[in-house]
Amino acid sequence: MSWQSYIDDHLMAEIEGNHLAAAAILGHDGTVWAQSTTFPQLKPEEITAIMNDFENPGSLAPTGLYLGGTKYMVIQGEPGVVIRGKKGPGGVTVKKTTMALIIGIYDEPMTPGQCNMVVEKIGDYLIDQGL
């Protein structure tokens, strides 16, 4: 399966009538493995800040999580494993695997729980595959 099919067939798939607004799979260095056409252009410092928060949980809380220049308020996640952010009626889930970052961005009517489920399910699968 290609990385793009993980995006198209799984991350961007319909869940209870809703789907993510954007999704991407990146290497820990910020290299894009695959992304939806709607995914924002990330800045290197945004990836650095995300990776730093996985190493030092809570480091993004004071400044917020930035993706493509958009600021998300950091909300509860799983330290070192998942970062979650909120902005208005939408938000973001970032799951870290052995080699990758799985990022899902959602907006209403999708719920935070639906986004978390989609992103974390793919992340857990990749971890099981050694990726």
Side-chain angles (χ1 to χ4, degrees):
M1 186 183 298
S2 74
W3 290 114
Q4 192 62 47
S5 64
Y6 281 101
I7 299 290
D8 299 337
D9 301 338
H10 299 285
L11 288 167
M12 295 300 288
E14 190 172 296
I15 290 91
E16 298 172 16
N18 303 316
H19 58 84
L20 292 174
I25 301 174
L26 312 171
H28 287 177
D29 62 358
T31 304
V32 176
W33 294 5
Q35 65 183 19
S36 66
T37 57
T38 53
F39 198 78
Q41 179 67 44
L42 300 183
K43 299 174 183 158
E45 60 269 21
E46 294 171 340
I47 299 298
T48 301
I50 289 168
M51 290 304 295
N52 185 51
D53 192 82
F54 281 120
E55 297 299 318
N56 304 294
S59 65
L60 280 177
T63 60
L65 165 66
Y66 285 86
L67 291 176
T70 300
K71 181 180 180 178
Y72 295 86
M73 180 179 65
V74 177
I75 56 175
Q76 96 294 343
E78 295 171 51
V81 181
V82 177
I83 300 169
R84 297 187 182 111
K86 187 92 174 103
K87 177 177 174 56
V92 62
T93 301
V94 182
K95 169 85 174 185
K96 182 180 179 224
T97 72
T98 310
M99 299 171 59
L101 296 174
I102 316 301
I103 304 174
I105 299 172
Y106 69 93
D107 213 337
E108 283 186 335
M110 183 172 247
T111 66
Q114 289 171 324
C115 178
N116 296 341
M117 182 185 71
V118 172
V119 172
E120 293 176 38
K121 184 175 169 185
I122 293 293
D124 290 341
Y125 173 77
L126 293 178
I127 290 168
D128 289 345
Q129 301 303 307
L131 300 168

